[in-house]
mmCIF file with all atom_site columns, all heavy atoms in Angstrom:
data_model
loop_
_atom_site.group_PDB
_atom_site.id
_atom_site.type_symbol
_atom_site.label_atom_id
_atom_site.label_alt_id
_atom_site.label_comp_id
_atom_site.label_asym_id
_atom_site.label_entity_id
_atom_site.label_seq_id
_atom_site.pdbx_PDB_ins_code
_atom_site.Cartn_x
_atom_site.Cartn_y
_atom_site.Cartn_z
_atom_site.occupancy
_atom_site.B_iso_or_equiv
_atom_site.pdbx_formal_charge
_atom_site.auth_seq_id
_atom_site.auth_comp_id
_atom_site.auth_asym_id
_atom_site.auth_atom_id
_atom_site.pdbx_PDB_model_num
ATOM 1   N N   . ARG A 1 37 ? 4.365  23.085 21.157 1.00 97.00 ? 37 ARG A N   1
ATOM 2   C CA  . ARG A 1 37 ? 5.261  24.126 21.518 1.00 97.00 ? 37 ARG A CA  1
ATOM 3   C C   . ARG A 1 37 ? 6.050  23.709 22.778 1.00 97.00 ? 37 ARG A C   1
ATOM 4   O O   . ARG A 1 37 ? 7.327  23.730 22.955 1.00 97.00 ? 37 ARG A O   1
ATOM 5   C CB  . ARG A 1 37 ? 4.571  25.518 21.834 1.00 97.00 ? 37 ARG A CB  1
ATOM 6   C CG  . ARG A 1 37 ? 4.001  26.129 20.656 1.00 97.00 ? 37 ARG A CG  1
ATOM 7   C CD  . ARG A 1 37 ? 2.853  27.224 21.031 1.00 97.00 ? 37 ARG A CD  1
ATOM 8   N NE  . ARG A 1 37 ? 2.068  26.603 22.092 1.00 97.00 ? 37 ARG A NE  1
ATOM 9   C CZ  . ARG A 1 37 ? 1.250  27.303 22.840 1.00 97.00 ? 37 ARG A CZ  1
ATOM 10  N NH1 . ARG A 1 37 ? 1.280  28.693 22.844 1.00 97.00 ? 37 ARG A NH1 1
ATOM 11  N NH2 . ARG A 1 37 ? 0.455  26.647 23.823 1.00 97.00 ? 37 ARG A NH2 1
ATOM 12  N N   . GLN A 1 38 ? 5.318  23.035 23.739 1.00 96.00 ? 38 GLN A N   1
ATOM 13  C CA  . GLN A 1 38 ? 6.106  22.700 25.026 1.00 96.00 ? 38 GLN A CA  1
ATOM 14  C C   . GLN A 1 38 ? 6.921  21.585 24.930 1.00 96.00 ? 38 GLN A C   1
ATOM 15  O O   . GLN A 1 38 ? 7.892  21.400 25.627 1.00 96.00 ? 38 GLN A O   1
ATOM 16  C CB  . GLN A 1 38 ? 5.000  22.607 26.164 1.00 96.00 ? 38 GLN A CB  1
ATOM 17  C CG  . GLN A 1 38 ? 4.077  21.511 25.911 1.00 96.00 ? 38 GLN A CG  1
ATOM 18  C CD  . GLN A 1 38 ? 3.013  21.415 26.936 1.00 96.00 ? 38 GLN A CD  1
ATOM 19  O OE1 . GLN A 1 38 ? 3.256  21.334 28.112 1.00 96.00 ? 38 GLN A OE1 1
ATOM 20  N NE2 . GLN A 1 38 ? 1.751  21.410 26.550 1.00 96.00 ? 38 GLN A NE2 1
ATOM 21  N N   . TYR A 1 39 ? 6.789  20.644 23.842 1.00 97.00 ? 39 TYR A N   1
ATOM 22  C CA  . TYR A 1 39 ? 7.501  19.381 23.866 1.00 97.00 ? 39 TYR A CA  1
ATOM 23  C C   . TYR A 1 39 ? 8.470  19.465 22.592 1.00 97.00 ? 39 TYR A C   1
ATOM 24  O O   . TYR A 1 39 ? 8.995  18.342 22.185 1.00 97.00 ? 39 TYR A O   1
ATOM 25  C CB  . TYR A 1 39 ? 6.565  18.124 23.781 1.00 97.00 ? 39 TYR A CB  1
ATOM 26  C CG  . TYR A 1 39 ? 5.732  17.983 24.959 1.00 97.00 ? 39 TYR A CG  1
ATOM 27  C CD1 . TYR A 1 39 ? 4.471  17.926 24.931 1.00 97.00 ? 39 TYR A CD1 1
ATOM 28  C CD2 . TYR A 1 39 ? 6.271  18.101 26.285 1.00 97.00 ? 39 TYR A CD2 1
ATOM 29  C CE1 . TYR A 1 39 ? 3.542  17.920 26.007 1.00 97.00 ? 39 TYR A CE1 1
ATOM 30  C CE2 . TYR A 1 39 ? 5.538  17.913 27.452 1.00 97.00 ? 39 TYR A CE2 1
ATOM 31  C CZ  . TYR A 1 39 ? 4.134  17.832 27.357 1.00 97.00 ? 39 TYR A CZ  1
ATOM 32  O OH  . TYR A 1 39 ? 3.434  17.744 28.378 1.00 97.00 ? 39 TYR A OH  1
ATOM 33  N N   . ALA A 1 40 ? 8.549  20.539 21.939 1.00 97.00 ? 40 ALA A N   1
ATOM 34  C CA  . ALA A 1 40 ? 9.464  20.568 20.743 1.00 97.00 ? 40 ALA A CA  1
ATOM 35  C C   . ALA A 1 40 ? 10.763 20.157 21.053 1.00 97.00 ? 40 ALA A C   1
ATOM 36  O O   . ALA A 1 40 ? 11.438 20.388 22.103 1.00 97.00 ? 40 ALA A O   1
ATOM 37  C CB  . ALA A 1 40 ? 9.577  22.122 20.245 1.00 97.00 ? 40 ALA A CB  1
ATOM 38  N N   . GLY A 1 41 ? 11.270 19.249 20.238 1.00 97.00 ? 41 GLY A N   1
ATOM 39  C CA  . GLY A 1 41 ? 12.605 18.513 20.329 1.00 97.00 ? 41 GLY A CA  1
ATOM 40  C C   . GLY A 1 41 ? 12.468 17.212 21.016 1.00 97.00 ? 41 GLY A C   1
ATOM 41  O O   . GLY A 1 41 ? 13.567 16.386 21.043 1.00 97.00 ? 41 GLY A O   1
ATOM 42  N N   . ARG A 1 42 ? 11.458 16.941 21.675 1.00 98.00 ? 42 ARG A N   1
ATOM 43  C CA  . ARG A 1 42 ? 11.360 15.628 22.387 1.00 98.00 ? 42 ARG A CA  1
ATOM 44  C C   . ARG A 1 42 ? 10.664 14.572 21.500 1.00 98.00 ? 42 ARG A C   1
ATOM 45  O O   . ARG A 1 42 ? 9.784  14.935 20.712 1.00 98.00 ? 42 ARG A O   1
ATOM 46  C CB  . ARG A 1 42 ? 10.684 15.786 23.743 1.00 98.00 ? 42 ARG A CB  1
ATOM 47  C CG  . ARG A 1 42 ? 11.584 16.776 24.682 1.00 98.00 ? 42 ARG A CG  1
ATOM 48  C CD  . ARG A 1 42 ? 10.961 17.097 25.874 1.00 98.00 ? 42 ARG A CD  1
ATOM 49  N NE  . ARG A 1 42 ? 10.814 15.801 26.748 1.00 98.00 ? 42 ARG A NE  1
ATOM 50  C CZ  . ARG A 1 42 ? 10.145 15.791 27.900 1.00 98.00 ? 42 ARG A CZ  1
ATOM 51  N NH1 . ARG A 1 42 ? 9.488  16.983 28.378 1.00 98.00 ? 42 ARG A NH1 1
ATOM 52  N NH2 . ARG A 1 42 ? 9.919  14.676 28.661 1.00 98.00 ? 42 ARG A NH2 1
ATOM 53  N N   . THR A 1 43 ? 10.743 13.355 21.774 1.00 98.00 ? 43 THR A N   1
ATOM 54  C CA  . THR A 1 43 ? 10.163 12.296 20.848 1.00 98.00 ? 43 THR A CA  1
ATOM 55  C C   . THR A 1 43 ? 8.774  12.043 21.472 1.00 98.00 ? 43 THR A C   1
ATOM 56  O O   . THR A 1 43 ? 8.547  12.086 22.720 1.00 98.00 ? 43 THR A O   1
ATOM 57  C CB  . THR A 1 43 ? 10.882 11.012 20.699 1.00 98.00 ? 43 THR A CB  1
ATOM 58  O OG1 . THR A 1 43 ? 10.935 10.311 22.162 1.00 98.00 ? 43 THR A OG1 1
ATOM 59  C CG2 . THR A 1 43 ? 12.296 11.284 20.172 1.00 98.00 ? 43 THR A CG2 1
ATOM 60  N N   . ILE A 1 44 ? 8.069  11.473 20.638 1.00 97.00 ? 44 ILE A N   1
ATOM 61  C CA  . ILE A 1 44 ? 6.531  11.056 21.085 1.00 97.00 ? 44 ILE A CA  1
ATOM 62  C C   . ILE A 1 44 ? 6.671  9.987  22.254 1.00 97.00 ? 44 ILE A C   1
ATOM 63  O O   . ILE A 1 44 ? 6.037  10.107 23.224 1.00 97.00 ? 44 ILE A O   1
ATOM 64  C CB  . ILE A 1 44 ? 5.795  10.326 19.794 1.00 97.00 ? 44 ILE A CB  1
ATOM 65  C CG1 . ILE A 1 44 ? 5.487  11.485 18.783 1.00 97.00 ? 44 ILE A CG1 1
ATOM 66  C CG2 . ILE A 1 44 ? 4.535  9.857  20.397 1.00 97.00 ? 44 ILE A CG2 1
ATOM 67  C CD1 . ILE A 1 44 ? 4.722  10.979 17.526 1.00 97.00 ? 44 ILE A CD1 1
ATOM 68  N N   . GLY A 1 45 ? 7.637  9.046  22.093 1.00 97.00 ? 45 GLY A N   1
ATOM 69  C CA  . GLY A 1 45 ? 7.864  8.100  22.994 1.00 97.00 ? 45 GLY A CA  1
ATOM 70  C C   . GLY A 1 45 ? 8.232  8.593  24.422 1.00 97.00 ? 45 GLY A C   1
ATOM 71  O O   . GLY A 1 45 ? 7.909  8.101  25.402 1.00 97.00 ? 45 GLY A O   1
ATOM 72  N N   . GLU A 1 46 ? 9.105  9.529  24.372 1.00 96.00 ? 46 GLU A N   1
ATOM 73  C CA  . GLU A 1 46 ? 9.604  10.261 25.593 1.00 96.00 ? 46 GLU A CA  1
ATOM 74  C C   . GLU A 1 46 ? 8.420  10.840 26.298 1.00 96.00 ? 46 GLU A C   1
ATOM 75  O O   . GLU A 1 46 ? 8.356  10.701 27.568 1.00 96.00 ? 46 GLU A O   1
ATOM 76  C CB  . GLU A 1 46 ? 10.638 11.311 25.308 1.00 96.00 ? 46 GLU A CB  1
ATOM 77  C CG  . GLU A 1 46 ? 12.005 10.777 25.113 1.00 96.00 ? 46 GLU A CG  1
ATOM 78  C CD  . GLU A 1 46 ? 12.901 11.890 24.494 1.00 96.00 ? 46 GLU A CD  1
ATOM 79  O OE1 . GLU A 1 46 ? 12.557 13.068 24.624 1.00 96.00 ? 46 GLU A OE1 1
ATOM 80  O OE2 . GLU A 1 46 ? 14.001 11.576 24.084 1.00 96.00 ? 46 GLU A OE2 1
ATOM 81  N N   . VAL A 1 47 ? 7.759  11.579 25.649 1.00 96.00 ? 47 VAL A N   1
ATOM 82  C CA  . VAL A 1 47 ? 6.621  12.428 26.258 1.00 96.00 ? 47 VAL A CA  1
ATOM 83  C C   . VAL A 1 47 ? 5.399  11.536 26.550 1.00 96.00 ? 47 VAL A C   1
ATOM 84  O O   . VAL A 1 47 ? 4.882  11.809 27.666 1.00 96.00 ? 47 VAL A O   1
ATOM 85  C CB  . VAL A 1 47 ? 6.152  13.584 25.307 1.00 96.00 ? 47 VAL A CB  1
ATOM 86  C CG1 . VAL A 1 47 ? 4.912  14.341 25.715 1.00 96.00 ? 47 VAL A CG1 1
ATOM 87  C CG2 . VAL A 1 47 ? 7.338  14.532 24.949 1.00 96.00 ? 47 VAL A CG2 1
ATOM 88  N N   . TYR A 1 48 ? 5.063  10.585 25.753 1.00 95.00 ? 48 TYR A N   1
ATOM 89  C CA  . TYR A 1 48 ? 4.093  9.834  26.094 1.00 95.00 ? 48 TYR A CA  1
ATOM 90  C C   . TYR A 1 48 ? 4.501  8.280  25.967 1.00 95.00 ? 48 TYR A C   1
ATOM 91  O O   . TYR A 1 48 ? 4.421  7.698  24.929 1.00 95.00 ? 48 TYR A O   1
ATOM 92  C CB  . TYR A 1 48 ? 2.835  9.984  25.032 1.00 95.00 ? 48 TYR A CB  1
ATOM 93  C CG  . TYR A 1 48 ? 2.313  11.312 25.235 1.00 95.00 ? 48 TYR A CG  1
ATOM 94  C CD1 . TYR A 1 48 ? 2.378  12.276 24.337 1.00 95.00 ? 48 TYR A CD1 1
ATOM 95  C CD2 . TYR A 1 48 ? 1.661  11.801 26.471 1.00 95.00 ? 48 TYR A CD2 1
ATOM 96  C CE1 . TYR A 1 48 ? 1.837  13.613 24.484 1.00 95.00 ? 48 TYR A CE1 1
ATOM 97  C CE2 . TYR A 1 48 ? 1.144  13.039 26.691 1.00 95.00 ? 48 TYR A CE2 1
ATOM 98  C CZ  . TYR A 1 48 ? 1.251  13.985 25.787 1.00 95.00 ? 48 TYR A CZ  1
ATOM 99  O OH  . TYR A 1 48 ? 0.775  15.150 26.003 1.00 95.00 ? 48 TYR A OH  1
ATOM 100 N N   . PRO A 1 49 ? 4.859  7.771  27.122 1.00 96.00 ? 49 PRO A N   1
ATOM 101 C CA  . PRO A 1 49 ? 5.532  6.504  27.147 1.00 96.00 ? 49 PRO A CA  1
ATOM 102 C C   . PRO A 1 49 ? 4.643  5.461  26.668 1.00 96.00 ? 49 PRO A C   1
ATOM 103 O O   . PRO A 1 49 ? 5.191  4.298  26.271 1.00 96.00 ? 49 PRO A O   1
ATOM 104 C CB  . PRO A 1 49 ? 5.893  6.173  28.704 1.00 96.00 ? 49 PRO A CB  1
ATOM 105 C CG  . PRO A 1 49 ? 6.072  7.606  29.184 1.00 96.00 ? 49 PRO A CG  1
ATOM 106 C CD  . PRO A 1 49 ? 5.039  8.439  28.386 1.00 96.00 ? 49 PRO A CD  1
#
Side-chain angles (χ1 to χ4, degrees):
R37 295 163 310 160
Q38 59 186 309
Y39 299 122
R42 298 175 64 188
T43 66
I44 293 176
E46 275 165 20
V47 174
Y48 293 113

